[in-house]
Each structure stands twice: as structure tokens, then as C-alpha cells.
Amino acid sequence: MTVNEAAQFLLCRDRFAVLIHDNPDGDAVGAGYALCLALWGLGKSAVVFCGDPVPRRYSYFTAALPEQSFIPETILSADVASMGLLGDRIKEYATHVDLCIDHHPSNTGYAAQTLLDSGAAAACEIVYAVIKKMGAKITNPIAQALYTGISTDTGCFKFSNTTYQSHAITARLMRTGIDTAEINRLMFETKTRGRVEIERQILNRIEYYFGGRCAVIAVTLEMLEKTGAAQDELDGLTALPRMIEGVIAGVTLREKEGGRVKASVRTRKPLDSSKICGRLGGGGHKFAAGCEISGSLAEAKAKVLAIIEREIG
Amino acid sequence: MTVNEAAQFLLCRDRFAVLIHDNPDGDAVGAGYALCLALWGLGKSAVVFCGDPVPRRYSYFTAALPEQSFIPETILSADVASMGLLGDRIKEYATHVDLCIDHHPSNTGYAAQTLLDSGAAAACEIVYAVIKKMGAKITNPIAQALYTGISTDTGCFKFSNTTYQSHAITARLMRTGIDTAEINRLMFETKTRGRVEIERQILNRIEYYFGGRCAVIAVTLEMLEKTGAAQDELDGLTALPRMIEGVIAGVTLREKEGGRVKASVRTRKPLDSSKICGRLGGGGHKFAAGCEISGSLAEAKAKVLAIIEREIG
């Protein structure tokens, strides 16, 4: 389906439920709410359905959609690559999706109609095009929702999926006067005291191997207990060791209950993370992979280092 | 001077030296080299003059400017707010600047002519407009230079100085096919061992005041000596304390030779950094300002904290 056809379809329908994936990120929440806000602005009824609660940190735009009570007639999905990503609470709708708007090349085509642009950095970029085509006004909350999706899916325009379209759309969203710095502060720049404490302890124990080409950091159960840091406060920690100059293999070890260790490996050329983790029963991408190892932290470290030593040569 | 007048002036002249400030950042190097590359592309001679060596990490675009040997006739400056920011090696030119292109509201007007746009997030945004107006081609290295300036001065589009123009210009730069992800990796995602060590020591000594609303970090001369970290490895450190949840005043103190301390203050609403630093003879923007204080680290800290305490109330 083209953007134009999707817009015409939406204009002809009413009573929308927009499904987004479980454990929703900024792009899913942004795309779902931007679409609903635009449809609502056109006088239609539209709600977001998600298997998980929508995180409160997105309330700066989700709060703009009024509560509506109606029986859904048109089922949409946004940023949902496959039916399996829908939570149990909304699984019943999975086989009845009228239109899916997505940017994942792996989209399984589960919907009756699909508007897919795998070149888009974020589903929100496609939703922006649809909203414009429908002739709906880009209000402040819609601009905030769409910006949130683009910014979070591109790592604030840092990742290689960022295109000139990401910037061109953002320029137009910013003309509505939204405070993007505040959105980025909420999404990227806030560290809890627990997180700062974890980073401090990690930096105090960072270890280098193989002439500085490998760096290892470890998060122990004791560190988590003492700092009171929650699991989601550890996000992005795995990027730290590979950031260090000269490091081509960055290893993050996380001690788990029951004598197991989660290893996250991040590499640079010519090392292949998925090959390293594959040897330990894990997998992933070329430069980012993971595996679980049974044993103590010291044992897990020895196992990973033995494999990296062979690869680094 | 308007963009058009500046472009006409440059088109009429030749044999350019573009002065940039000491301890040059991405915007200074980007603006200086983009301007020279464009003028050189128009068949003119143009070189960048800097009191300090231009850091090697910008070589992906600086290397594109060929060596040229000539006696400068037209003196330009880019991203230089005052004569005091020019290093000793190029001070002789300070009083002979024909045209200054800048975005600092604090520009002292030291040049014969000034093209100032204090609404621009980066000097590179203004240089882009001038290059377009001159009719010069935006080559790959020029696009890389301009992108580097915009990206580094906006913290990769995160800071509040980012405007829709920053994104609109970036969209046009990206159409030349530059690899922005690689530039961002070099600018933001690589930390030297010295930098990692400085961060470790800083996190070990971070101090909180006023119920966690103020965080203070300090870089001593001893830390710089022992870690061997260069001045430009400290870039971005000042953003750290304000990142912490609940902190509305982040203070970075840097011990300097001769019993002086450089204080960088970063605030959030409702605190005004320039007001705080203004009380100590410094200045800057609302959420980012600085000043120099004579005395020991402990004395400087006491002075800054006394002012913040009054403001925080």
C-alpha cells in the first residue's frame, strides 16, 4: 500500500484501535499515539492497545489523547513486525489487523494491508507522511510523539539508520515549537543516582587484556543490591567498554541468580561478536551479541577471554 | 553584515587566512575548513590559522584542504567571539580581521565587519548559508566539516540550541551521501584511556549538595598529570553532573596553573547559569555558563556553592 492509499483508507473508516508491540519503546508509543491523536483531531474515535502498560515517561504526549469508550471497528498496528510481538492481552486482535504501518524489513505481512518502508529509521517517519496526506493538523502533542519516535529509534540521530528524511521531517516538526531538548533530556540524559554509582564501581574495576584491545566490565549481584539499581537502569552499559580507544572487544558480564552469568560482547572490525558468543551457545549480530554462561563471574570471564584471545590472534 | 553581503565580499577577495579559536572544537575546525574548502573550490587560496594544533581526529575533512603557500591578504575569523580567544601564535592578526563569522551573542565586534547570527546553534550553520550564497559546491568534505560543527555544538541535536534550521541544513548535507554515523562515532563514542581514568576518578569524588539538587565534580592538576589526559580529552565532562536525576545545578571545577580555577556551571529550570557565573565575573548562556576564580579548588567551590545556595533558595 502507498502512503496515499493508507491515508484514503483511514479517512473512510472510524472507531480505530492501534496495536503496538509489547514492552513498547519510544517509536511504538509515538507512532500509536500520533496516529490516534491525528484521527481524533479529524473527528474520529481512536485508542492505542498495548499488551503492557504504556510507560509513564511518555505522558507528555500520551496525556493529550482523551479517554474514549467505543467498540473498535478498524484494527491498525504500528511498528509491529509480527503477530508474536503483541502481548497476551491484545492477541485476540492479531489476526484481524486491517492495516499495518511498519518499517521493519522482517515484517511478516500478517495484516490485510501493509504500508511498509524499510528505509525509514522509525515508524514515526511513515506515520508523519500518512498524517500529512490525511490533511490532519500536526498539533504540538503529535509533533512531540513523532519526534520521540524518530529521536529514540536513531539514538538521537547518531545511528547509521538516520537518513536525510529523519532530519527533514524533524525540521518540520520543530517548526510547531516543540521543546526537543526537554524530550531528549527525558529520553537520554537522565541518570539515576543508582546508575551513577554502578558506573563508578564499574570504572573502578575495569580490566584490560591483550594489549588494551579487550576491555571487561562486570556487574555483580552485590553491586545491584547495594546501589538499589533496577534492571532498566543498566541499559546502555554494554556500550561502555567498546567506547574506549583501542578496544575492539568490549565485554560486559552480569552476574545472575543461580550461578549464571550473562555476557554481552560488543566488537569492532575485524572481530565478530556473534561468532564469539556462538561458541558459548549464544548469538546476535556481527558487532553486538550475547550468551549465558554457567559458573562464577571469574569462570565466565575466563571462558570468554579464551575465545577472544583465539580470535584476536 | 548580511549573508549576501558576506558572500559578495568573499567573492571579491582572495588569499584568505581563516582564524579559529584556541583549543578548537568541532564547530571551529568545521567552520574554518568548510570555508577554506569552499573558497579553494572557487579557485582561491585559503588556509586555517589556529594558535593550537588542529586535533588529528578531524582529519577526515581537514586532510581534503591542500597545502598552499601564499601571503594572506584577507583575514577572516570563524566562531571567534573575542580577540582574547586567539592563541599567541596568531595574535598578530587579531586587530586586522576583515570579516568575522560568528554565532556567539557575546561577540565583541572586534572585526571590521561581522556576520553574526546568535540564533544559530553553530557557526557552521552560518558558514553553510554563506557557501550556498557564494554558489560554491557542497562537496563531501565540506558537508562532513559542516555536519561535524552542527553535531558537536548541539550535542548531536540534543541541546536546547538546536533549531529547525539545524535539522533542515543537516538534511541537505546528508543528501551528499556523507556517513554521519561514522562521524558521530568518532566525535561522541570514542573515549581515550586517559578519559576513562579521569571519569573514574571524578565519579569517585562526586559531591552532592542542597538535597541532591547540586552536584560538583573537580579535575585537579594532579589528575591530569597522572592520567596524562590532554585538555581536549575533557570535552563534555561538564555535562556529567547535570545528567544526574534531581540535579538542577551541575558544577565542574578545573584546577589551572597559577592558583586559578575554571568553573563550568550547567543548570536546569528555574536556575540561570549566566546569572550564577556573572556574580563571579564570568558569563554565558542561561543553562550553560562559566567563570574563572582565583584561589584553591576548595575556595572556588565554596564561592560557587554560596551563590548557588542563594539561587536554589
Side-chain angles (χ1 to χ4, degrees):
Chain A
M1 224 183 198
T2 65
V3 167
N4 192 34
E5 286 164 349
Q8 295 314 316
F9 173 82
L10 295 176
L11 287 171
C12 295
R13 298 295 194 100
D14 200 352
R15 296 191 183 77
F16 298 92
V18 184
L19 315 180
I20 62 175
H21 61 74
D22 250 26
N23 191 15
D25 58 7
D27 193 30
V29 180
Y33 276 84
L35 207 47
C36 285
L37 285 162
L39 291 166
W40 179 74
L42 292 167
K44 299 170 186 289
S45 304
V47 289
V48 172
F49 279 0
C50 184
D52 286 324
V54 172
R56 276 202 0 228
R57 60 199 195 113
Y58 301 112
S59 61
Y60 55 93
F61 61 84
T62 59
L65 188 68
E67 293 242 13
Q68 298 153 74
S69 180
F70 62 94
I71 295 162
E73 276 175 16
T74 312
I75 311 298
L76 311 176
S77 70
D79 200 37
V80 180
S82 73
M83 291 196 279
L85 297 168
L86 297 170
D88 289 335
R89 273 175 51 201
I90 60 171
K91 266 218 168 77
E92 52 174 316
Y93 298 102
T95 50
H96 307 290
V97 179
D98 298 297
L99 170 61
C100 162
I101 299 178
D102 192 21
H103 70 125
H104 293 97
S106 57
N107 189 289
T108 59
Y110 59 89
Q113 305 263 26
T114 306
L115 171 58
L116 182 73
D117 178 359
S118 60
C124 278
E125 294 184 13
I126 315 169
V127 169
Y128 170 83
V130 171
I131 292 176
K132 289 295 282 185
K133 193 59 90 177
M134 289 197 298
K137 187 175 182 295
I138 304 279
T139 61
N140 229 288
I142 292 176
Q144 288 174 319
L146 295 174
Y147 179 85
T148 300
I150 297 173
S151 173
T152 53
D153 255 26
T154 60
C156 207
F157 308 96
K158 263 202 201 97
F159 301 158
S160 59
N161 61 350
T162 312
T163 68
Y164 74 89
Q165 278 290 8
S166 317
H167 284 287
I169 293 170
T170 299
R172 280 175 246 140
L173 296 176
M174 284 192 77
R175 299 202 78 153
T176 63
I178 57 171
D179 185 349
T180 56
E182 177 64 13
I183 295 175
N184 290 325
R185 189 183 71 75
L186 288 168
M187 296 297 120
F188 300 108
E189 297 226 319
T190 306
K191 293 185 182 193
T192 61
R193 290 277 285 266
R195 166 65 179 246
V196 174
E197 179 57 20
I198 286 272
E199 281 188 23
R200 186 184 78 79
Q201 296 193 21
I202 281 171
L203 287 179
N204 281 336
R205 304 205 214 165
I206 195 163
E207 294 172 9
Y208 298 96
Y209 297 92
F210 317 130
R213 286 175 297 163
C214 175
V216 181
I217 62 176
V219 182
T220 64
L221 285 172
E222 193 196 352
M223 279 161 73
L224 286 179
E225 265 166 48
K226 283 203 177 158
T227 59
Q231 208 59 26
D232 71 338
E233 291 176 54
L234 303 179
D235 286 355
L237 267 188
T238 51
L240 282 184
R242 191 186 50 183
M243 273 189 193
I244 301 163
E245 198 176 33
V247 170
I248 58 174
V251 180
T252 305
L253 301 171
R254 211 184 289 179
E255 195 180 15
K256 303 187 73 171
E257 305 283 352
R260 297 188 69 78
V261 174
K262 168 101 180 74
S264 301
V265 177
R266 300 288 180 272
T267 55
R268 296 198 189 285
K269 283 177 203 164
L271 287 193
D272 187 330
S273 298
S274 67
K275 203 168 150 193
I276 292 165
C277 292
R279 296 256 171 86
L280 293 161
H285 305 279
K286 189 156 185 198
F287 299 124
C291 58
E292 263 200 36
I293 304 165
S294 61
S296 68
L297 263 181
E299 286 163 349
K301 186 165 70 184
K303 282 181 190 169
V304 177
L305 285 176
I307 292 165
I308 290 175
E309 185 169 27
R310 253 183 288 161
E311 294 293 325
I312 262 181
Chain B
M1 222 182 199
T2 65
V3 167
N4 192 34
E5 286 163 350
Q8 296 314 316
F9 173 82
L10 296 176
L11 287 171
C12 296
R13 298 297 193 97
D14 200 351
R15 297 191 181 78
F16 297 92
V18 184
L19 315 180
I20 62 174
H21 61 72
D22 251 24
N23 190 14
D25 57 8
D27 192 31
V29 179
Y33 275 85
L35 207 46
C36 285
L37 286 162
L39 291 166
W40 179 75
L42 292 168
K44 298 169 186 288
S45 305
V47 289
V48 172
F49 280 0
C50 184
D52 286 323
V54 172
R56 275 195 7 221
R57 62 200 193 111
Y58 301 113
S59 60
Y60 56 93
F61 62 83
T62 59
L65 188 68
E67 292 242 13
Q68 299 154 72
S69 180
F70 61 92
I71 296 163
E73 276 175 15
T74 312
I75 311 299
L76 310 176
S77 70
D79 201 37
V80 180
S82 72
M83 292 196 277
L85 297 169
L86 297 170
D88 290 336
R89 272 175 52 201
I90 59 170
K91 266 219 166 77
E92 53 175 313
Y93 297 103
T95 50
H96 307 291
V97 179
D98 297 298
L99 170 61
C100 162
I101 298 177
D102 191 22
H103 70 125
H104 293 95
S106 58
N107 188 290
T108 60
Y110 59 89
Q113 305 263 25
T114 305
L115 170 58
L116 182 74
D117 178 359
S118 59
C124 278
E125 295 184 14
I126 315 169
V127 169
Y128 171 83
V130 172
I131 291 176
K132 289 295 282 182
K133 194 57 93 177
M134 288 198 298
K137 188 175 183 294
I138 304 281
T139 61
N140 228 289
I142 292 176
Q144 287 174 319
L146 295 174
Y147 179 85
T148 300
I150 296 172
S151 173
T152 53
D153 254 28
T154 59
C156 207
F157 308 95
K158 264 202 201 100
F159 301 157
S160 59
N161 61 351
T162 311
T163 68
Y164 74 90
Q165 279 289 7
S166 318
H167 284 286
I169 293 170
T170 298
R172 281 176 244 139
L173 296 176
M174 284 191 78
R175 299 202 79 153
T176 64
I178 57 171
D179 185 349
T180 57
E182 176 64 12
I183 294 174
N184 290 326
R185 191 183 70 74
L186 288 168
M187 294 299 118
F188 299 107
E189 300 226 319
T190 306
K191 293 183 182 197
T192 61
R193 289 277 286 267
R195 167 63 179 247
V196 174
E197 179 57 21
I198 287 271
E199 280 189 23
R200 186 184 77 80
Q201 296 194 19
I202 281 171
L203 287 179
N204 281 336
R205 304 205 213 165
I206 196 163
E207 294 173 9
Y208 298 96
Y209 296 92
F210 316 131
R213 286 174 297 164
C214 175
V216 180
I217 63 176
V219 182
T220 64
L221 286 171
E222 193 196 352
M223 280 162 72
L224 287 179
E225 266 166 47
K226 284 202 176 157
T227 59
Q231 207 58 25
D232 70 337
E233 291 176 57
L234 303 178
D235 287 355
L237 267 187
T238 52
L240 283 184
R242 193 185 49 183
M243 275 190 192
I244 301 162
E245 199 176 34
V247 170
I248 58 173
V251 179
T252 305
L253 300 171
R254 210 184 290 179
E255 196 180 14
K256 303 188 72 169
E257 305 283 352
R260 295 187 69 77
V261 174
K262 168 102 179 73
S264 301
V265 177
R266 300 288 179 271
T267 55
R268 298 198 187 285
K269 284 176 201 166
L271 287 193
D272 186 330
S273 298
S274 66
K275 204 169 150 192
I276 292 165
C277 292
R279 294 254 171 87
L280 293 161
H285 305 277
K286 189 157 184 197
F287 299 123
C291 56
E292 263 199 36
I293 305 165
S294 60
S296 67
L297 263 181
E299 285 163 347
K301 186 165 70 182
K303 282 181 190 170
V304 177
L305 286 176
I307 292 165
I308 291 175
E309 184 168 29
R310 253 182 289 160
E311 294 294 322
I312 262 180

